[in-house]
């Protein structure tokens, strides 16, 4: 144990518990993506871009009414990479939907479903 200048050991200080807000990283990511893509409500991310036989990060963006939004291929690929890296435990053999209002990632069920509420 290190000693102080007076020759005595310093008393042990109790460690303060670090409280982590559940999902902080996910909410931060969803907020960043919502700022990058104004009007977006949901991002569907997969590793299979249509028309390619090899894995490639791919995303589609939907507005709050469930309609598709046009984004640049670079922005779509960047958003897909960020979501995949933020959720490494997800099953990426299928598409997943990221709700930008809550930061929750859910498995896509074939048809795009819009949850109530808005951002």
């Amino acid at each position: 144990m290190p000693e102080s200048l007076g020759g005595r050991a310093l008393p042990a200080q109790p460690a303060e518990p670090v409280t982590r807000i559940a999902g902080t990283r996910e909410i931060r990511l969803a907020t960043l993506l919502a700022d990058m893509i104004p009007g977006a409500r949901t991002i569907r991310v997969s590793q299979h871009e249509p028309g390619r036989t090899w894995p490639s990060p791919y995303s589609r963006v939907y507005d709050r009414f469930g309609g598709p939004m046009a984004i640049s291929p670079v922005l779509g690929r960047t958003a897909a990479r960020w979501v995949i890296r933020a959720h490494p435990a997800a099953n990426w053999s299928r598409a997943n939907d990221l709700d930008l209002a809550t930061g929750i990632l859910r498995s896509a069920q074939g048809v795009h479903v819009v949850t109530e509420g808005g951002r």
Side-chain angles (χ1 to χ4, degrees):
M1 186 181 284
E3 294 187 3
S4 66
L5 293 177
R8 294 191 222 177
L10 299 172
Q13 299 293 323
E16 294 182 20
V18 177
T19 56
R20 182 174 181 254
I21 299 172
T24 302
R25 181 178 180 192
E26 291 81 8
I27 292 171
R28 216 171 43 223
L29 173 64
T31 303
L32 280 170
L33 290 172
D35 288 344
M36 286 174 57
I37 310 167
R41 168 65 184 202
T42 306
I43 298 179
R44 178 167 289 172
V45 178
S46 69
Q47 286 192 355
H48 302 288
E49 184 174 348
R52 294 202 180 187
T53 56
W54 58 88
S56 176
Y58 180 74
S59 65
R60 290 183 181 158
V61 179
Y62 299 94
D63 62 14
R64 66 186 197 133
F65 300 110
M69 295 177 60
I71 60 170
S72 72
V74 173
L75 181 58
R77 201 171 307 116
T78 300
R81 286 180 180 149
W82 287 5
V83 173
I84 290 169
R85 287 179 183 160
H87 299 276
N91 180 6
W92 291 109
S93 64
R94 305 179 78 187
N96 292 288
D97 289 339
L98 177 67
D99 185 344
L100 297 181
T102 62
I104 296 174
L105 185 74
R106 292 187 181 98
S107 179
Q109 301 296 327
V111 178
H112 178 68
V113 178
V114 177
T115 56
E116 286 301 315
R119 188 163 214 285

